[in-house]
Amino acid sequence: MGMHLEWARAARWLAHQARGVCVGLACVVLSACGGGQAEEAGPASMSQATAAATAAATEGLSGAGPRVIDANTTVLIPVPAAPAVPPSSRVKAAAARVATEAGTSLRVHYRRADGDTSGWQLHSWGAAQSPAWNGGWNASGSDDFGAIYDVPLAADSGTVGYLLHKGDWKDWGGNDQSYVLKPGANEIWRVEGDNVTYTSNPLGLPVPNLHTVRVHYQRFDGGYSSWGLHLWNGSGLNVAALPAGLPIDQWGAPVAFNAMPGYAAGAGEIVFDIPVLNPR
């Protein structure tokens, strides 16, 4: 509305100036011709000139440069100002510059047990840009480890919240994941179902050499006799190293703690060993 009022004022001012130009020109013509033989500019001709100037000024709002009305009248047309950049565009551009100029980046590697990461997207928030609520960032590539996600950042520091999901199917039990940015290039590795955030490729880590897992179990009520263990094959359990006769794969027959290897009752806890298959 304010811009329309300014154009209207400009049009009225130009029309007024055009009227003055016409009057001045009429006087010059009379003076040059010596008087009585020249036709005097009357009210009708003045009205026509004013109307023509006003019309020209109004039409000129969509253009630029001077507009010639007749041999004696020229109307100057104002040039419209360039449209302003929407504030939202300026904010988005500024956010992109912050992430780019600071040189901070975040790359997430993701591995699934079956090797199939198709359809899996990374949803981010916090110090990272956030995609649509039901959307996510697609993988930018892959390697021998799995999918690679280059996360667009909104800041060069702070905490990036993220989730990996395939539609409504979310890894890590649907729990939010987070990573605190460090200056420069950030790179992390995540494995399906593994809550550890690795800062180097875990496939390159040495394989642990172990045969036994020692368990420390504590109950605040001190009652252990009515509790037991459920053991099953295929879970990394070394069944051959268990005492003979222990029930395996029997949900209704839990193994008593004191039947496990290395059992001992300590101060406020019990301890026992579970033999496992060596990962090597």
Side-chain angles (χ1 to χ4, degrees):
M1 180 62 75
M3 185 171 286
H4 290 306
L5 290 174
E6 290 298 324
W7 290 127
R9 293 194 188 100
R12 288 198 297 272
W13 180 84
L14 290 171
H16 176 74
Q17 297 301 317
R19 186 183 300 114
V21 171
C22 292
V23 172
L25 288 174
C27 292
V28 171
V29 170
L30 286 173
S31 176
C33 293
Q37 298 303 318
E39 181 179 351
E40 191 169 340
S45 61
M46 289 300 295
S47 298
Q48 293 172 357
T50 301
T54 302
T58 303
E59 293 176 0
L61 293 180
S62 60
R67 185 69 59 83
V68 177
I69 304 303
D70 55 34
N72 300 317
T73 307
T74 300
V75 176
L76 299 179
I77 306 303
V79 179
V85 178
S88 59
S89 297
R90 290 198 298 268
V91 171
K92 291 178 181 178
R97 285 196 298 272
V98 167
T100 301
E101 292 176 1
T104 302
S105 61
L106 174 59
R107 171 169 284 188
V108 178
H109 299 261
Y110 179 55
R111 181 180 182 86
R112 294 193 60 78
D114 60 5
D116 184 9
T117 56
S118 59
W120 283 85
Q121 296 180 307
L122 188 145
H123 192 90
S124 60
W125 59 90
Q129 297 182 35
S130 180
W133 179 252
N134 291 321
W137 308 116
N138 292 318
S140 54
S142 63
D143 57 14
D144 292 341
F145 183 83
I148 299 173
Y149 300 86
D150 290 308
V151 184
L153 299 179
D156 63 338
S157 63
T159 300
V160 173
Y162 68 96
L163 268 177
L164 276 153
H165 67 96
K166 185 175 184 178
D168 292 331
W169 182 13
K170 303 173 184 177
D171 201 348
W172 308 301
N175 296 319
D176 292 348
Q177 306 296 300
S178 63
Y179 177 79
V180 179
L181 292 173
K182 300 175 178 62
N186 294 260
E187 193 167 10
I188 60 176
W189 283 256
R190 298 302 309 267
V191 179
E192 173 193 358
D194 187 345
N195 291 321
V196 178
T197 298
Y198 298 96
T199 55
S200 62
N201 189 339
L203 298 185
L205 297 177
V207 178
N209 183 13
L210 55 90
H211 301 271
T212 303
V213 174
R214 171 151 292 182
V215 179
H216 295 257
Y217 182 50
Q218 182 180 51
R219 293 191 58 80
F220 295 115
D221 60 3
Y224 299 97
S225 59
S226 59
W227 293 81
L229 295 173
H230 291 287
L231 304 175
W232 61 91
N233 263 316
S235 60
L237 177 69
N238 185 359
V239 177
L242 287 171
L246 293 184
I248 306 297
D249 294 324
Q250 298 181 33
W251 183 254
V255 177
F257 295 126
N258 58 11
M260 294 296 294
Y263 173 81
E269 68 174 16
I270 61 171
V271 179
F272 56 89
D273 295 335
I274 299 178
V276 297
L277 296 174
N278 192 336
R280 291 189 176 182

